[in-house]
Amino acid sequence: MPYQTILFDIRDAVACITLNRPEKLNAFTVRMHEELHEAMDQVRGSETARALLITGNGRGFCAGQDLNERAMSEGAAQVELGSALEKSYNPLVRGLRDLSMPVICAVNGVAAGAGCNFALAADIVIAARSASFIEVFSRIGLIPDAGGTYVLPRLIGAARAMAMSLLAEPLSAEQAASWGLIWKCVDDHTLMSEARELAQRLATGPTRAYALIKQALNASPANTLEQQLALEVKLQREAGQTADFREGVKAFLEKRAPRYQGR
């Protein structure tokens, strides 16, 4: 489809999705969800992409849901928000978590509501110093969605997750980094160069191993030690059969940089 609300390209093995409604702080709409799902399908089907970079255009990363699509006139039927989550947000978050390549999110400005949790669904989050994270849902009588109630306590603990959700106060990028909510806070003018460099580094790495690492770490919170040890056996067996493992060992023994093909 012709994209109207996002920008999308694949270059040097890095797929890049840029949210592109800067006049609305890149707030989500039905059209944007359709385009994001289409772009994600292209990433999954690509024979060249080995990392995904997500960012926003303009002064904000994503302000969450565009509430103009949720406006209710007097006497109108209630909006059924659960269906919107099942149709749009939940598949988007699952798609990022399950993608068989690293996902890097470069947060260039405010990440609010579903925009915050969309960013946190990435594997590595790097944010500009001027960026902020806001679980804004309680301001309009809602609960954190798009995976927020899942990722927040796992990343920063129950106490901080509860306060972020109830108080709906902005958290600076520097504070987010110090809490462990994100990987790194960088100066605004270096955000995209650092994010692109990180994505490029991962795009030349052992892609299959990265997918198995994601699978193992995402499964860990729900597993017992014995279950996780058994999963490690299964996944390490798969990793040991890849061409990249053979290349990694060969490069180590030959004292040179490995040339991974992502297989």
Side-chain angles (χ1 to χ4, degrees):
M1 66 169 63
Y3 294 126
Q4 298 176 7
T5 66
I6 68 170
L7 303 174
F8 177 72
D9 68 79
I10 299 176
R11 176 164 44 94
D12 298 329
V14 176
C16 184
I17 296 174
T18 303
L19 307 182
N20 192 35
R21 299 184 70 223
E23 73 286 356
K24 297 293 185 180
L25 294 179
N26 301 317
F28 287 115
T29 61
V30 170
R31 174 77 188 195
M32 181 180 281
H33 275 292
E34 291 172 349
E35 295 183 4
L36 285 169
H37 290 309
E38 169 67 22
M40 288 293 294
D41 283 343
Q42 289 195 55
V43 173
R44 281 186 286 266
S46 173
E47 295 182 357
T48 58
R50 292 170 58 189
L52 171 62
L53 174 61
I54 299 171
T55 192
N57 188 16
R59 62 190 179 89
F61 172 72
C62 179
Q65 174 63 41
D66 189 331
L67 293 180
N68 287 310
E69 291 192 341
R70 298 287 187 263
M72 293 173 284
S73 59
E74 192 67 31
Q78 288 291 106
V79 177
E80 209 293 278
L81 297 182
S83 295
L85 294 180
E86 290 175 335
K87 180 180 178 181
S88 299
Y89 287 100
N90 293 358
L92 183 60
V93 170
R94 286 194 199 100
L96 293 181
R97 298 281 285 190
D98 295 340
L99 194 65
S100 58
M101 65 183 71
V103 180
I104 303 95
C105 186
V107 180
N108 55 298
V110 64
C116 174
N117 297 330
F118 173 58
L120 298 178
D123 301 314
I124 299 177
V125 183
I126 180 171
R129 205 167 300 280
S130 63
S132 59
F133 299 82
I134 315 173
E135 293 292 336
V136 75
F137 299 91
S138 67
R139 293 186 185 179
I140 56 171
L142 294 178
I143 72 161
D145 58 27
T149 61
Y150 180 88
V151 297
L152 284 175
R154 285 167 170 78
L155 291 172
I156 58 175
R160 286 170 170 165
M162 187 68 77
M164 277 193 73
S165 301
L166 295 179
L167 299 177
E169 294 179 351
L171 186 72
S172 71
E174 289 184 277
Q175 191 68 58
S178 70
W179 280 8
L181 185 69
I182 65 173
W183 165 244
K184 198 176 188 182
C185 170
V186 300
D187 292 336
D188 288 34
H189 70 280
T190 67
L191 173 67
M192 290 313 300
S193 62
E194 292 200 37
R196 174 63 71 169
E197 181 181 347
L198 180 59
Q200 194 65 59
R201 170 184 166 188
L202 291 168
T204 57
T207 310
R208 183 59 186 151
Y210 291 154
L212 297 174
I213 289 169
K214 288 179 61 169
Q215 186 178 339
L217 292 178
N218 288 340
S220 178
N223 279 350
T224 64
L225 173 61
E226 288 305 314
Q227 289 171 327
Q228 194 67 16
L229 289 173
L231 180 61
E232 288 177 359
V233 169
K234 173 181 179 293
L235 299 182
Q236 197 70 298
R237 184 173 286 125
E238 291 183 38
Q241 295 172 353
T242 63
D244 281 342
F245 168 65
R246 292 193 294 275
E247 165 62 13
V249 173
K250 189 169 185 280
F252 176 80
L253 295 175
E254 294 175 357
K255 297 181 172 55
R256 60 171 174 82
R259 295 183 289 271
Y260 293 121
Q261 300 299 313
R263 298 191 299 272

